[in-house]
């Protein structure tokens, strides 16, 4: 741990910064000023949840990932680490990284055994600052939330679909200091407390009374909006505060005509859209019970697997547009890849971030406080030596890393 902290402090010194950060940056001024103002932010759904390691023969639980991270031998995780080393972001959100309360056997071991070790000749990377916390996936309830006639606590009866607490968790890694004391989480925010919430209804054909809510009154009173969690993680980048707004809304499928996951996905995205809009976020409270939202001219970057396509057959109107068309959000440069373009005959497939064909993962900076310099999706073409890192689900993940390079104004 001391080694990581020293290494991280070293990366903050003017002459100890990463050379790759200079590549997309074109600005006037001396080199130290240029480096200090440049920030690469990324999101990566790494699929590092326990059911991804069935070959180990272990029942799904957070202990599976703990075992995988106990040494540096897992090739799939080594490939994930190599992708991270090649892109080398300054701030990185990992989605679907199982929550392990003891960081020393969880995220710290991922850093120690994989990121701090050169993969395929790449320079090792280090993240001296980490934020992780509990999530709603696998958090048990005493309700029959999926209406299958059984109160099973987990799976569809958990606050967020999961076989055990912490499945599909989130982690923020940073080379810059995280202000843990000022971090805000919204894991327990009740869906019913959102004005004009899209409460799912039973299909008319299945009930004598059209418009009957899917959730009972007792369930609706208790139900949490976030399927994992919503986070506001403040990062101090050389004296400039950046709010990392992280989330992983539920996929808008795996349900029925009631569209309970589709409506939830919409409102999970809306919660973050309202949170960053000062005049609309007055109803939002965090897990400490405080009424909170961002202020005018707060600098932020939205990151995560939002499970919301912006175009194509998986696009649902007026969902991701709550963010991409916000006047406060800069969506002017859409990250693309040659590998994505090659993977489908659709004209817009160069923007895909998942092999199943959609732009699902986003890095969206605020209009205020940033210039967008470059962006991309790590998706090599089939003729590339690096295609081995993404050739199938077992190579790394079903998602690709998405990154944006910014200049802080």
């Amino acid at each position: 741990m001391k080694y990581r902290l020293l290494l991280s402090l070293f990366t903050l010194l003017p002459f100890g910064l990463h050379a790759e950060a200079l590549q997309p940056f074109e600005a006037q001024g001396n080199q130290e000023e240029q480096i200090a103002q440049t920030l690469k932010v990324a999101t990566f759904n790494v699929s590092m949840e326990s059911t991804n390691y069935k070959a180990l023969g272990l029942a799904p639980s957070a202990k599976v990932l703990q075992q995988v991270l106990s040494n540096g031998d897992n090739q799939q995780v080594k490939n994930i680490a190599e992708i991270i080393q090649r892109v080398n972001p300054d701030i990185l959100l990992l989605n679907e990284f199982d929550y392990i309360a003891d960081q020393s056997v969880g995220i710290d071991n991922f850093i120690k055994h994989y990121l701090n070790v050169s993969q395929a000749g790449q320079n090792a990377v280090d993240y001296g600052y980490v934020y992780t916390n509990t999530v709603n996936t696998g958090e048990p309830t005493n309700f029959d939330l999926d209406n299958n006639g059984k109160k099973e606590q987990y799976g569809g009866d958990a606050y967020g679909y999961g076989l055990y607490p912490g499945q599909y968790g989130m982690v923020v890694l940073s080379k810059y200091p995280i202000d843990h004391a000022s971090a805000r989480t919204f894991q327990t925010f009740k869906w019913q407390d959102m004005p004009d919430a899209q409460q799912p209804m039973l299909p008319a054909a299945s009930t004598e009374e059209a418009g009957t809510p899917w959730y009972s009154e007792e369930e609706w009173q208790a139900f949490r909006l976030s399927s994992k969690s919503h986070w506001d993680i403040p990062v101090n980048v050389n004296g400039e505060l950046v709010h990392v707004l992280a989330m992983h809304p539920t996929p808008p499928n795996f349900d029925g005509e009631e569209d309970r996951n589709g409506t939830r996905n919409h409102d999970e995205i809306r919660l973050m859209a309202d949170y960053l809009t000062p005049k609309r976020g007055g109803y939002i409270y965090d897990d400490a019970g405080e009424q909170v939202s961002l202020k005018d001219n707060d600098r932020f970057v939205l990151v995560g697997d939002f499970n919301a396509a912006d175009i194509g057959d998986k696009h649902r109107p007026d969902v991701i547009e709550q963010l991409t068309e916000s006047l406060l959000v800069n969506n002017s440069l859409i990250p693309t890849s040659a590998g994505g373009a090659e993977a489908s005959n659709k004209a817009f497939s160069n923007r895909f971030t998942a092999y199943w064909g959609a732009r699902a993962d986003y890095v969206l900076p605020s209009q205020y406080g940033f210039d967008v310099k470059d962006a991309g999706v790590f998706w090599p073409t089939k003729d590339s030596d690096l295609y081995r890192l993404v050739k199938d689900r077992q190579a790394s993940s079903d998602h690709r890393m998405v990154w944006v390079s910014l200049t802080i104004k």
Side-chain angles (χ1 to χ4, degrees):
M1 181 65 73
K2 290 181 179 179
Y3 169 76
R4 283 179 44 218
L5 291 174
L6 287 171
L7 207 156
S8 177
L9 290 171
F10 177 74
T11 61
L12 293 175
L13 296 173
F15 298 102
L17 290 157
H18 1 289
E20 61 81 28
L22 294 173
Q23 294 175 2
F25 184 72
E26 297 177 4
Q28 297 180 357
N30 65 49
Q31 186 183 46
E32 292 181 29
E33 290 174 344
Q34 291 180 13
I35 296 173
Q37 292 179 336
T38 302
L39 186 70
K40 180 180 277 191
V41 183
T43 188
F44 193 6
N45 182 331
V46 289
S47 299
M48 290 174 63
E49 50 87 20
S50 67
T51 63
N52 201 39
Y53 306 105
K54 293 179 181 179
L56 297 178
L58 300 175
S61 76
K63 293 186 180 299
V64 176
L65 182 59
Q66 181 175 324
Q67 178 172 320
V68 169
L69 299 177
S70 65
N71 56 58
D73 295 339
N74 186 281
Q75 187 59 52
Q76 186 172 5
V77 180
K78 290 171 73 171
N79 289 348
I80 289 169
E82 182 181 342
I83 292 170
I84 294 172
Q85 290 175 353
R86 287 183 179 277
V87 178
N88 195 16
D90 299 300
I91 299 173
L92 170 63
L93 172 69
L94 303 178
N95 284 131
E96 296 194 10
F97 188 103
D98 276 357
Y99 174 72
I100 301 172
D102 183 354
Q103 288 186 204
S104 68
V105 295
I107 186 60
D108 288 355
N109 267 351
F110 177 59
I111 295 171
K112 175 183 176 182
H113 293 147
Y114 290 94
L115 297 182
N116 287 168
V117 177
S118 171
Q119 307 293 343
Q122 295 304 297
N123 290 331
V125 296
D126 189 68
Y127 293 94
Y129 306 94
V130 173
Y131 184 88
T132 187
N133 210 327
T134 56
V135 290
N136 283 327
T137 31
E139 189 63 29
T141 77
N142 292 317
F143 302 118
D144 178 18
L145 297 175
D146 57 8
N147 287 350
N148 69 351
K150 295 179 286 186
K151 297 180 180 181
E152 300 168 297
Q153 292 195 306
Y154 301 102
D157 290 338
Y159 279 116
Y161 182 87
L163 303 177
Y164 51 91
Q167 189 174 16
Y168 311 110
M170 307 193 299
V171 181
V172 172
L173 303 177
S174 177
K175 295 180 180 179
Y176 296 97
I178 292 173
D179 183 357
H180 284 261
S182 300
R184 297 169 180 167
T185 63
F186 303 88
Q187 181 183 351
T188 60
F189 178 88
K190 301 296 191 298
W191 196 352
Q192 65 154 358
D193 292 333
M194 172 177 280
D196 301 315
Q198 292 197 359
Q199 184 175 5
M201 298 291 173
L202 287 165
S206 66
T207 177
E208 295 179 359
E209 184 180 352
T212 300
W214 174 268
Y215 298 111
S216 70
E217 181 62 26
E218 185 182 9
E219 291 169 349
W220 185 242
Q221 292 291 325
F223 199 83
R224 301 173 181 179
L225 173 58
S226 184
S227 57
K228 283 84 177 175
S229 192
H230 286 58
W231 292 348
D232 175 359
I233 310 302
V235 178
N236 186 330
V237 183
N238 294 334
E240 301 291 347
L241 191 65
V242 176
H243 291 266
V244 177
L245 304 182
M247 63 175 175
H248 185 188
T250 189
N253 41 30
F254 308 113
D255 51 17
E257 292 181 55
E258 82 288 344
D259 194 30
R260 69 186 188 277
N261 290 332
T263 54
R264 189 180 192 181
N265 175 275
H266 175 281
D267 281 359
E268 286 195 69
I269 290 172
R270 180 190 157 192
L271 182 70
M272 198 65 91
D274 288 351
Y275 177 74
L276 59 85
T277 310
K279 293 181 180 179
R280 295 211 317 251
Y283 67 91
I284 299 173
Y285 54 87
D286 64 12
D287 289 334
E290 298 181 7
Q291 301 286 132
V292 291
S293 64
L294 290 188
K295 301 181 179 63
D296 288 324
N297 296 333
D298 274 346
R299 186 184 286 107
F300 62 81
V301 184
L302 293 148
V303 288
D305 173 2
F306 296 168
N307 278 311
D310 63 349
I311 194 172
D313 59 350
K314 296 178 180 63
H315 173 247
R316 293 168 64 107
D318 304 320
V319 178
I320 194 59
E321 289 83 358
Q322 297 176 101
L323 295 175
T324 57
E325 295 184 5
S326 166
L327 296 178
L328 301 177
V329 173
N330 188 336
N331 185 43
S332 60
L333 182 58
I334 296 176
T336 60
S337 70
E342 177 187 70
S344 170
N345 58 9
K346 292 183 171 63
F348 47 82
S349 66
N350 64 340
R351 69 174 67 184
F352 287 172
T353 67
Y355 84 84
W356 36 264
R359 182 188 184 193
D361 308 84
Y362 293 82
V363 179
L364 297 171
S366 56
Q367 289 280 6
Y368 172 80
F370 293 117
D371 283 330
V372 179
K373 291 299 179 182
D374 201 2
V377 179
F378 185 89
W379 196 333
T381 55
K382 293 179 180 178
D383 62 357
S384 168
D385 292 340
L386 300 182
Y387 185 69
R388 60 183 169 80
L389 297 173
V390 299
K391 65 179 182 177
D392 53 33
R393 174 70 180 266
Q394 289 69 42
S396 53
S397 171
D398 56 336
H399 289 252
R400 310 291 179 245
M401 180 187 284
V402 181
W403 57 270
V404 173
S405 286
L406 305 166
T407 303
I408 296 178
K409 294 192 294 186

